[in-house]
């Protein structure tokens, strides 16, 4: 299953539309149902209008009827360890939990696995403590 998740992220990265940054990124979510949803970054000539690979993958997950992330793999063509940006960490925390596994990949496969809580300690949520 982890191989499939990595392959899905890698395949998505190859479809990245990133002519401005030349920084292709791919992400693949293993959702609670067992389905895999992938996505790539999509940029725009008006730079702030582009969005991240993780965001695309979340969008596909929601459209597929899933709302819960079990694990996610992220890969960037030009990084030895792809780590989600701050905004994506917050988006992932909406659909994941503290122990959701985030697989940080390089071109060969999963290089390191961390949890969402490690990536986003003290995550914002509306249920105040
Ligand atoms: N990018 C992602 O797709 N995911 C991240 O977590 C970090 C950044 C994209 C956005 C932009 O298209 C390119 O990488 C360079 O920042």
């Amino acid at each position: 299953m982890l191989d499939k998740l990595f392959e899905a992220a890698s395949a998505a990265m190859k479809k990245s539309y990133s002519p401005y940054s030349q920084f292709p990124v791919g992400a693949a979510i293993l959702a609670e149902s067992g389905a895999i949803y992938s996505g790539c970054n999509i940029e725009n000539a008006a730079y702030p209008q582009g969005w991240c690979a993780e965001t695309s993958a979340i969008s596909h997950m929601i459209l597929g009827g899933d709302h819960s992330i079990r694990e996610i793999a992220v890969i960037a063509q030009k990084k030895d360890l792809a780590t989600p940006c701050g905004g994506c960490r917050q988006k992932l925390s909406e659909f994941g939990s503290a122990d959701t596994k985030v697989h940080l990949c390089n071109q060969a496969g999963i290089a390191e696995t961390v949890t969402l809580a490690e990536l986003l300690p003290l995550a914002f949520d509306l249920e105040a403590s």
Side-chain angles (χ1 to χ4, degrees):
M1 182 52 87
L2 281 186
D3 280 356
K4 267 178 87 175
L5 201 60
F6 168 73
E7 289 305 333
S10 182
M13 180 184 75
K14 286 172 186 135
K15 294 193 171 163
S16 161
Y17 178 75
S18 44
Y20 305 104
S21 71
Q22 302 283 338
F23 193 85
V25 184
I29 291 169
L30 172 63
E32 205 47 56
S33 70
I36 288 178
Y37 302 98
S38 60
C40 60
N41 55 331
I42 302 174
E43 298 183 346
N44 192 279
Y47 298 160
Q49 303 305 327
W51 65 90
C52 289
E54 297 90 329
T55 304
S56 291
I58 288 171
S59 166
H60 290 149
M61 177 185 79
I62 295 301
L63 199 59
D66 268 298
H67 293 91
S68 184
I69 300 173
R70 226 192 274 171
E71 308 188 22
I72 177 168
V74 184
I75 181 169
Q77 194 181 70
K78 295 179 179 168
K79 279 273 209 183
D80 286 337
L81 197 68
T83 53
C85 76
C88 284
R89 293 176 196 206
Q90 180 64 32
K91 289 190 180 89
L92 293 172
S93 87
E94 180 75 21
F95 303 106
S97 59
D99 56 0
T100 295
K101 285 183 181 157
V102 184
H103 304 291
L104 313 176
C105 303
N106 59 30
Q107 307 318 303
I110 293 169
E112 195 176 326
T113 298
V114 295
T115 65
L116 205 44
E118 286 173 307
L119 281 183
L120 190 66
L122 301 175
F124 173 79
D125 85 45
L126 285 174
E127 266 137 61
S129 51

